[in-house]
Amino acid sequence: MTSIAPQAKEIPYDKIRAVEWENGRLKLIDQRILPGKFEHLYFDHLPEAARAITDMVVRGAPAIGVTAAYAVVLAARDQYKENPNDWQKAIQADLNLLAEARPTAVNLRWAVEHMRSLINAGIPGNPVMRLLSEAQRIHAEDIAANRRMGELGAALIEKGSGVLTHCNTGALATGGYGTALGVVRAGYAAGRIKSVYADETRPWLQGARLTAWELVQEGIPATLIADSAASWLMKQGKVAWVIVGADRIAANGDTANKIGTYMTAVAARHHGVKFMVVAPASTVDMATPDGSAIPIETRSEAEVLNFGGICTAPEGTQAWNPAFDVTPAALIDAIVTEKGVVTNPTRGKMVAMMKSR
Ligand code: MRU
């Protein structure tokens, strides 16, 4: 039922691919309907792919970036067909539309600007093969980065530990394998992680619907908790680390991630539980000095006022639905990227890490 990546067969716990390029089309798992239904949607044009990002058919910062790179290939094919002499000019509006699909995940902008710079540098003749190979390279590099982060992050965890994760940061949220959930996969395979707890992650339930689904697919036992049970779980001494992903890491280490991450970090510090952020270098935005400059997406009130299509609040109730929050660097014990581990992050340490290799 799941998409099995050929190159992933020997790696333990790595069966799922949310984003694929198949027969000249972009193929996405529809994450809005998991776990009840497992279905793919196919895309031939950039505007529909941009809409799929906004509507969360595909979500998770790195997966959005990979999807965007493939969407640029779709746009180049359309624009080159329409106007082979002037497609580079015509595609600029498509790129702008795509970059606006969601505001917080910097990987989206990173991928769009990367593809734009390639286009603006000049591609002779039909650009599709050149852009496709770049999108596939971005995709493969994301998976390789996740495997590296899995090893680096798992090495920080004492054998036999319990961990808590928030949102979904796995194969569904990335090119494959996952960031924080990649550390969970690697740590479980190495016997360092004994028990995994997952926050359900209100209001969109990425933890309950997606993380729990991934872990069931992989055969990794996990326990789901209500977000509000996290502090009490820590108080019982059940977890040694909280491990989360990121949508954008500012130059000083402040980290935007799924709403609820910040309160979990506050609780972790109070209980002496370590807090790890795992994200590829493409999520680090050195142009954003600190967390106060990160744009935070506000989503529809309906996501808070309803549950599974049923209204859970009286008519006339208002809701506030910030999709992300910012955890200050001071509450983070380790930031893990494919370039290395930064403990107790500061701007100086982040600059040094980003310069390495
Ligand atoms: O709104 P979402 O589901 O796109 O939010 C996802 C997250 O906050 C993830 O933790 C983050 O993108 C990292 S995914 C590897």
Side-chain angles (χ1 to χ4, degrees):
M1 190 173 76
T2 51
S3 300
I4 312 276
Q7 78 276 23
K9 275 181 183 148
E10 304 93 63
I11 309 281
Y13 309 115
D14 188 14
K15 289 198 288 199
I16 301 155
R17 291 292 176 267
V19 184
E20 290 172 280
W21 183 263
E22 194 177 276
N23 301 325
R25 310 180 83 189
L26 171 64
K27 177 181 171 187
L28 301 175
I29 295 176
D30 187 349
Q31 300 191 31
R32 299 167 304 178
I33 57 175
L34 279 170
K37 287 189 196 149
F38 179 84
E39 280 174 18
H40 286 107
L41 296 175
Y42 292 83
F43 299 87
D44 296 303
H45 308 287
L46 178 144
E48 286 83 3
R51 166 56 60 185
I53 292 172
T54 305
D55 291 349
M56 295 179 60
V57 169
V58 62
R59 30 66 50 202
I64 292 171
V66 171
T67 300
Y70 286 126
V72 173
V73 182
L74 299 176
R77 185 168 66 197
D78 283 347
Q79 296 294 359
Y80 183 76
K81 203 163 147 194
E82 188 80 10
N83 189 349
N85 298 319
D86 211 16
W87 69 270
Q88 284 97 335
K89 202 165 158 216
I91 203 172
Q92 300 299 327
D94 292 321
L95 300 179
N96 297 343
L97 175 89
L98 185 59
E100 297 298 311
R102 284 191 82 189
T104 305
V106 78
N107 307 59
L108 170 61
R109 227 185 46 206
W110 175 88
V112 171
E113 294 316 321
H114 182 84
M115 298 299 268
R116 195 198 302 270
S117 66
L118 206 66
I119 291 166
N120 292 351
I123 302 173
N126 187 327
V128 170
M129 291 319 290
R130 176 69 192 93
L131 292 174
L132 176 58
S133 90
E134 194 59 16
Q136 286 171 328
R137 193 186 62 75
I138 287 173
H139 192 172
E141 279 192 359
D142 186 62
I143 297 169
N146 290 339
R147 296 219 177 100
R148 177 79 188 123
M149 290 187 281
E151 286 165 17
L152 290 171
L156 300 174
I157 300 168
E158 295 260 320
K159 261 197 181 318
S161 296
V163 300
L164 171 66
T165 190
H166 189 69
C167 195
N168 171 265
T169 60
L172 290 170
T174 62
Y177 198 67
T179 57
L181 214 61
V183 171
V184 168
R185 284 182 157 96
Y188 183 77
R192 290 182 176 274
I193 294 178
K194 182 186 73 193
S195 44
V196 181
Y197 293 87
D199 284 337
E200 64 175 352
T201 318
R202 278 282 290 151
W204 214 74
L205 298 185
Q206 287 94 332
R209 297 191 307 101
L210 308 177
T211 298
W213 180 81
E214 276 197 38
L215 294 174
V216 166
Q217 299 298 307
E218 305 283 19
I220 299 176
T223 304
L224 191 64
I225 61 165
D227 300 346
S228 44
S231 304
W232 194 238
L233 178 81
M234 294 176 198
K235 175 87 175 163
Q236 317 298 310
K238 301 258 190 204
V239 291
W241 282 91
V242 174
I243 313 176
V244 299
D247 278 77
R248 191 183 300 218
I249 302 175
N252 70 342
D254 289 353
T255 294
N257 191 50
K258 180 52 53 194
I259 193 74
T261 303
Y262 172 44
M263 73 174 183
T264 314
V266 170
R269 183 57 56 92
H270 180 77
H271 292 98
V273 170
K274 299 272 191 199
F275 195 87
M276 186 193 307
V277 173
V278 189
S282 55
T283 304
V284 180
D285 181 7
M286 296 305 283
T288 296
D290 60 45
S292 67
I294 299 177
I296 298 295
E297 177 183 10
T298 303
R299 293 187 64 86
S300 126
E301 292 182 40
E303 290 181 354
V304 175
L305 298 174
N306 297 277
F307 187 86
I310 294 165
C311 188
T312 53
E315 209 170 305
T317 308
Q318 290 178 14
W320 177 52
N321 186 15
F324 301 97
D325 56 28
V326 176
T327 298
L331 293 178
I332 299 171
D333 294 289
I335 293 179
V336 178
T337 78
E338 73 277 25
K339 288 171 176 280
V341 176
V342 174
T343 52
N344 306 315
T346 60
R347 187 185 155 80
K349 290 182 190 178
M350 293 299 290
V351 169
M353 182 275 293
M354 287 301 280
K355 278 193 184 144
S356 68
R357 263 173 294 157

